[in-house]
Amino acid sequence: MTPGNLFTKWGVSGIIRVKCDSCNYISSKQKLYRELSGDEKRGGRKLASILTSGSHPITVDKLCTDADGRMAEGFGDEMKSKQGVTTEHYLDTVHLNRAVAKAISRARITPQLVTEHPCKSKEHRQAINRLADSIAWRAEREVRAANQKFGNRKDLAAQSITAAIPALIKCYEDKHNLCRKYSLVCDGEKCVHEYIPKFARGAYRFSPSDTEVLAVILRKRMGKEATRKTRYSLTTQKAESVNHAFAKTNPKHSMTCSRNGVNRDHSAIHMVNNAIGDSILIKAKACNVPLAPNSPALSTLHHMNRRQSYFRIRASSSREIQQSTCSSTTKQISLV
């Protein structure tokens, strides 16, 4: 048996991977390592088994994950076998938009810029680099506008979103004939492209090969299958925020706390449910270490609460502005 590297993820430290090459023996520690790090399908099956066990089983008919792992596959199989319920799998729109932008950047699309502005090399690179983010956000706006316009009429919404793909590409070339007919965001006169410098808006010229590559990538976000899996615009951002809190209280790489890692995780959940300053005050009071009313530490904690509240309100207001922008630009279209 040969020991492998130390496993230092999720607060578990000092686990040595042991495997015998002659008899194919795999230790329980090696199985734990595989379950936590590699096989997400097994982890999803285990999660569904925990939810369906006990005197009050929990049935899940909708599950939202990112498109990276296979956790939903194992979760759905276990839920189907235990409860007889088919779990519908939906994709996180935030991760999907990032994947689309990354795919456009990696495709090495090199459009030409036709503009009267004296374009420097730095500005040219900036306009090309921001094109991927702009197209991904425009696709998201088209999907939101179609879902809001057609409501429960899923087939019409999917048809409208798919028909807007060539219009979206031509819109960046300042050609709005298809936008007038198929787009729910561009009114056919002038469209403001987010993240794009002013001198480059409508100045892109794509080759036929670039247009074909963009259409293939956009089908991952605006195709019928992607439209079905993003029907309710679900996200996993709350789970991501909890994961960030776990990483803050129990770092993965810098150090591990195998003895009190669970306690640190409980502290992270308490910090997420309450504000950071309030969480510290509650825990200090529970330990019989209350802070003086006029102490500098107390004023600092109140300042942390106000700062955290400010950024939460700012983030929620920006999301409302984006949704209102999508709804205000919705117009009537005719589908062929």
Side-chain angles (χ1 to χ4, degrees):
M1 295 185 182
T2 58
N5 296 328
L6 291 179
F7 178 57
T8 58
K9 189 176 183 182
W10 294 340
V12 184
S13 63
I15 297 180
I16 300 178
R17 296 179 289 174
V18 180
K19 180 179 179 181
C20 183
D21 299 330
S22 58
C23 64
N24 295 326
Y25 168 79
I26 301 177
S27 66
S28 58
K29 297 178 181 180
Q30 170 73 359
K31 294 179 180 179
L32 176 62
Y33 173 82
R34 288 183 175 181
E35 180 177 352
L36 294 180
S37 62
D39 195 352
E40 291 189 359
K41 183 177 179 180
R42 185 184 304 176
R45 189 180 295 111
K46 185 176 181 180
L47 176 60
S49 177
I50 295 173
L51 293 177
T52 55
S53 61
S55 57
H56 301 284
I58 299 175
T59 302
V60 179
D61 59 350
K62 293 181 178 64
L63 179 66
C64 177
T65 66
D66 52 17
D68 298 335
R70 299 177 59 193
M71 192 272 288
E73 184 178 352
F75 188 93
D77 295 342
E78 187 70 17
M79 191 65 64
K80 181 72 173 179
S81 61
K82 290 294 184 63
Q83 297 293 328
V85 177
T86 301
T87 303
E88 298 181 11
H89 180 213
Y90 295 93
L91 296 178
D92 174 28
T93 56
V94 176
H95 285 84
L96 189 57
N97 293 336
R98 290 175 183 172
V100 170
K102 187 178 294 185
I104 295 174
S105 300
R106 291 179 176 178
R108 296 182 180 179
I109 297 174
T110 56
Q112 296 181 356
L113 282 177
V114 181
T115 176
E116 298 178 356
H117 178 78
C119 184
K120 300 179 181 179
S121 59
K122 181 179 179 181
E123 294 177 344
H124 185 275
R125 288 196 304 268
Q126 186 182 38
I128 298 299
N129 294 335
R130 291 184 177 181
L131 178 63
D133 294 331
S134 180
I135 292 178
W137 174 234
R138 169 66 182 274
E140 174 67 16
R141 290 182 62 185
E142 291 283 357
V143 173
R144 290 184 183 180
N147 289 334
Q148 185 174 6
K149 175 179 172 58
F150 295 102
N152 294 328
R153 295 174 291 177
K154 303 178 183 179
D155 296 336
L156 289 178
Q159 187 179 357
S160 172
I161 295 170
T162 305
I165 293 178
L168 188 154
I169 299 174
K170 290 297 181 181
C171 186
Y172 282 84
E173 296 181 343
D174 202 19
K175 300 176 182 179
H176 302 285
N177 294 330
L178 295 178
C179 292
R180 296 185 182 95
K181 191 173 182 179
Y182 298 114
S183 178
L184 289 173
V185 176
C186 179
D187 58 359
E189 296 296 333
K190 186 177 181 181
C191 183
V192 178
H193 299 138
E194 289 82 2
Y195 308 110
I196 298 295
K198 291 184 178 180
F199 73 90
R201 293 174 181 174
Y204 295 95
R205 298 296 181 267
F206 301 105
S207 64
S209 60
D210 290 344
T211 302
E212 185 178 356
V213 171
L214 283 175
V216 172
I217 296 175
L218 286 174
R219 289 192 191 99
K220 297 179 180 179
R221 181 65 185 95
M222 304 174 66
K224 292 184 178 180
E225 184 66 18
T227 303
R228 183 186 66 82
K229 290 191 174 184
T230 58
R231 171 66 184 165
Y232 301 103
S233 298
L234 302 177
T235 64
T236 59
Q237 294 305 295
K238 290 185 178 181
E240 294 289 344
S241 65
V242 175
N243 291 337
H244 292 165
F246 285 151
K248 184 182 295 185
T249 59
N250 198 3
K252 297 178 182 179
H253 305 293
S254 61
M255 66 176 181
T256 54
C257 304
S258 59
R259 185 175 57 183
N260 57 355
V262 177
N263 298 332
R264 286 174 173 264
D265 292 341
H266 290 170
S267 177
I269 297 298
H270 191 271
M271 181 182 64
V272 172
N273 292 335
N274 305 278
I276 298 177
D278 291 340
S279 176
I280 295 174
L281 289 175
I282 294 172
K283 287 183 285 189
K285 186 176 180 180
C287 297
N288 294 325
V289 190
L291 298 178
N294 298 324
S295 63
L298 186 62
S299 61
T300 302
L301 293 177
H302 288 321
H303 174 72
M304 293 170 63
N305 284 343
R306 290 192 298 269
R307 182 178 176 85
Q308 185 179 8
S309 177
Y310 166 76
F311 282 110
R312 284 182 176 179
I313 295 174
R314 182 179 179 181
S316 61
S317 62
S318 63
R319 286 193 296 267
E320 292 175 359
I321 291 173
Q322 292 173 0
Q323 293 176 1
S324 63
T325 303
C326 294
S327 61
S328 62
T329 54
T330 302
K331 60 184 181 66
Q332 298 292 332
I333 63 172
S334 60
L335 298 176
V336 179

